């Protein structure tokens, strides 16, 4: 299912298409899944399993470990842009998603942030990283709402505004 979405997009993911890929009947999938929404939730958690949450060699260097974790998180989302787009909208968190949250909060508390500030910092990192991938899909950005002479900077930078950034 993950390969199908990566290659053909989320719209191509149907129970029938997945069954065809697996060479089983579509009804056979329902022995394991309730519906496509559950499948997407499981796929997102599989994607999040690619995030490296293991402590680094220097356990006292919390900021490097946090940076590495967030970069790994970004890489996982970049590798699966279709799933990254649905991730923040309706997905139920699974074990891998909870592991990421747990590790980020541990690192922030280890750094000495009070619990409330650690929670705020987690949400800021999450919102920034996931939002980056939401906004990274600017290929559909439509500039025709205004005449080009009213938005010359946007028009000039349009090639740089398209696609996900590092």
């Amino acid at each position: 299912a993950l390969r199908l979405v990566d290659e053909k997009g989320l719209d191509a993911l149907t129970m029938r298409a997945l069954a065809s890929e697996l060479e089983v009947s579509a009804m056979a999938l329902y022995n394991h899944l309730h519906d496509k929404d559950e499948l997407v939730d499981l796929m997102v958690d599989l994607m999040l399993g690619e995030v490296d949450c293991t402590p680094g060699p220097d356990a006292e260097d919390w900021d490097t470990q946090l940076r590495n974790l967030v970069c790994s998180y970004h890489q996982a989302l970049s590798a699966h842009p279709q799933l990254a787009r649905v991730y923040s909208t309706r997905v139920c968190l699974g074990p891998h998603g909870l592991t990421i949250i747990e590790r980020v909060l541990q690192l922030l508390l280890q750094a000495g942030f009070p619990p409330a500030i650690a929670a705020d910092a987690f949400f800021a990192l999450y919102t920034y990283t996931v939002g980056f991938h939401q906004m990274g899909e600017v290929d559909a950005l439509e500039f025709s709402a205004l005449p080009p002479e009213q938005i010359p900077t946007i028009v000039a930078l349009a090639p740089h505004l398209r696609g996900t950034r590092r």
Side-chain angles (χ1 to χ4, degrees):
L2 189 59
R3 184 177 45 77
L4 179 67
V5 169
D6 285 345
E7 291 174 2
K8 298 182 181 178
L10 196 56
D11 290 338
L13 178 66
T14 64
M15 297 303 253
R16 179 164 289 157
L18 179 58
S20 175
E21 288 283 324
L22 297 173
E23 298 179 0
V24 298
S25 73
M27 292 311 294
L29 296 176
Y30 290 102
N31 290 326
H32 306 279
L33 302 163
H34 288 94
D35 55 22
K36 181 180 170 180
D37 287 342
E38 182 182 8
L39 175 60
V40 171
D41 289 343
L42 291 169
M43 291 169 61
V44 167
D45 197 58
L46 181 63
M47 170 187 71
L48 294 176
E50 296 175 10
V51 177
D52 183 5
C53 293
T54 57
D58 183 5
E60 293 184 2
D61 191 11
W62 70 270
D63 55 337
T64 299
Q65 290 184 60
L66 183 59
R67 185 178 305 106
N68 290 340
L69 191 153
V70 173
C71 286
S72 179
Y73 187 39
H74 167 69
Q75 289 169 347
L77 295 173
S78 294
H80 308 286
Q82 292 287 309
L83 289 177
R85 290 178 61 204
V86 313
Y87 174 43
S88 67
T89 59
R90 53 147 289 283
V91 173
C92 296
L93 283 177
H96 292 111
L98 292 172
T99 298
I100 294 167
I101 296 169
E102 175 70 16
R103 185 66 184 134
V104 169
L105 291 172
Q106 283 175 349
L107 288 167
L108 292 167
L109 291 173
Q110 177 186 335
F113 290 99
I117 301 297
D120 287 345
F122 163 76
F123 282 117
L125 289 167
Y126 168 84
T127 302
Y128 181 81
T129 306
V130 175
F132 177 87
H133 288 272
Q134 297 292 323
M135 294 304 294
E137 289 296 320
V138 227
D139 289 334
L141 191 60
E142 184 56 55
F143 300 123
S144 64
L146 290 174
E149 61 274 4
Q150 288 185 8
I151 52 170
T153 308
I154 294 173
V155 171
L157 296 180
H160 304 286
L161 293 172
R162 299 187 196 291
T164 302
R165 295 290 179 259
R166 201 179 133 126

